[in-house]
Amino acid sequence: MSSGDSAGLAPMDPIRPRNPLRRGTRRARQVFLRDTMVAFGGLSAVSQVVGPFVPHGAPGAVVGLSVGACLGWGLLRSRPAARVRQVFRRPDMTVVVETGDLFDQPAHLVVGFCDTFDTLSAGGRLINGDSVQAQLLDRRYGGDVDRLDAELDAALAAAGPVAREERADKPLGKLDRYPVGTVAVLGTRPRLVFGVAYSRIGNDYVAASGVEDLWRGLAGLWDALRTHAQLERVAMPLTGSGLARLGHLDRDSLLRLILMSFVARSREAPICRELRVVVRPEELEGIDMRELAAFLAALATGPER
């Protein structure tokens, strides 16, 4: 499997996704049933009050319209949102989860790398062409891999590798390995790129990461943002969603892990005023946005608020 995360390129829909029922979750079905029954109960109560004063010329049509209205209300209420926003007070910050194009965000960007910070795709063997990393090279560097490598070398000069592979063992890509959690700060303000190593790529070119690696990578990312982002808005993809070795975490759990890490470290010291997690439309199908909103609200109103 190639290294790097995947991120959406579809235009951002700030309101709701299409075909919402196809993406329905258990919570959405529960909301549909609950609100449909509430609507039926409300109409029934109203009809008992006003019924004696209304002519009964077309009872079938009235019943049909009432049923249709109740079902329509239930469907409307059960549609999953494509955007969740939660404001925190301690510290003063906002967390947003939404669908959209990561590279269109007016913010500093986060891009996942493997521990060798490879940049050449090698025909897709090292870097998947659909990954965020491949999009970074194409959209921010115009395909100029030499310029990207030069910035990476400068950014990693102070970090220092912890190991070096032999070319015979790793014929493709770079040889120096950096610790998981290493962050290379690329580009210039007002839109820096924070390249974080959160996975390890084997000499068979398969990238792997565990929960501990991801947690360590996130810790390094938050530290780098605190130092360089100057509390400005930061946008990141659903980091780790493209790795098979994190497959035991579904997207919902992965997203909560990222957000919990961010909130916990922010309570130690502010990181940024706004964190946006930008997910692809197909990733949204695996995320219960209603439950996510409740999760963020609980974090915001917890005892440490």
Side-chain angles (χ1 to χ4, degrees):
M1 177 179 175
S2 303
S3 64
D5 298 317
S6 51
L9 293 178
M12 181 171 63
D13 179 0
I15 306 300
R16 298 182 185 276
R18 295 181 180 179
N19 300 323
L21 289 183
R22 188 176 61 188
R23 299 174 184 166
T25 62
R26 181 172 59 183
R27 169 57 73 90
R29 290 191 292 270
Q30 292 173 344
V31 171
F32 168 73
L33 291 174
R34 181 197 67 197
D35 286 3
T36 298
M37 296 307 297
V38 168
F40 273 120
L43 281 179
S44 176
V46 171
S47 65
Q48 290 180 13
V49 174
V50 303
F53 306 98
V54 177
H56 299 280
V62 172
V63 171
L65 288 173
S66 299
V67 171
C70 293
L71 291 175
W73 175 251
L75 287 172
L76 180 64
R77 293 282 296 169
S78 65
R79 295 178 69 191
R83 189 174 193 266
V84 170
R85 181 177 182 270
Q86 179 64 54
V87 175
F88 291 74
R89 296 303 179 196
R90 295 184 182 177
D92 185 12
M93 64 185 187
T94 302
V95 172
V96 177
V97 180
E98 63 184 5
T99 57
D101 185 337
L102 178 70
F103 290 90
D104 280 346
Q105 297 294 321
H108 302 304
L109 304 182
V110 174
V111 176
F113 280 81
C114 63
D115 60 335
T116 56
F117 285 89
D118 281 306
T119 52
L120 283 174
S121 67
R125 294 188 66 188
L126 282 173
I127 300 172
N128 190 299
D130 293 330
S131 68
V132 175
Q133 193 177 335
Q135 294 170 39
L136 171 69
L137 176 60
D138 180 53
R139 300 181 63 178
R140 291 295 297 270
Y141 290 85
D144 189 346
V145 69
D146 291 335
R147 182 162 69 93
L148 176 56
D149 280 337
E151 290 192 19
L152 281 169
D153 290 342
L156 295 171
V162 294
R164 182 176 175 83
E165 295 292 337
E166 297 293 334
R167 178 56 69 191
D169 296 328
K170 188 173 183 284
L172 299 175
K174 299 179 181 180
L175 301 177
D176 288 336
R177 293 190 178 276
Y178 294 83
V180 169
T182 300
V183 178
V185 183
L186 310 173
T188 57
R189 308 191 70 84
R191 295 185 69 196
L192 297 173
V193 174
F194 292 82
V196 54
Y198 72 94
S199 65
R200 307 171 192 271
I201 188 167
N203 291 342
D204 57 357
Y205 314 124
V206 175
S209 181
V211 172
E212 184 177 347
D213 288 331
L214 178 59
W215 192 264
R216 187 180 298 114
L218 291 171
L221 173 63
W222 309 141
D223 288 342
L225 290 175
R226 186 176 290 140
T227 301
H228 299 281
Q230 298 182 3
L231 298 180
E232 296 166 341
R233 181 185 294 123
V234 175
M236 66 182 295
L238 185 54
T239 303
S241 63
L243 285 174
R245 299 308 185 273
L246 276 170
H248 58 285
L249 283 182
D250 59 26
R251 288 167 179 157
D252 209 42
S253 300
L254 178 61
L255 179 56
R256 294 187 189 209
L257 178 67
I258 293 170
L259 296 175
M260 186 167 57
S261 173
F262 173 73
V263 172
R265 292 300 293 268
S266 294
R267 283 177 173 152
E268 296 176 5
I271 295 172
C272 60
R273 295 298 186 193
E274 180 178 306
L275 176 70
R276 292 187 184 182
V277 182
V278 183
V279 300
R280 299 193 301 179
E282 56 267 32
E283 291 176 331
L284 190 64
E285 296 179 18
I287 298 171
D288 190 329
M289 297 293 271
R290 294 180 183 275
E291 293 290 351
L292 179 64
F295 173 75
L296 283 172
L299 288 180
T301 58
E304 297 184 59
R305 184 176 176 180

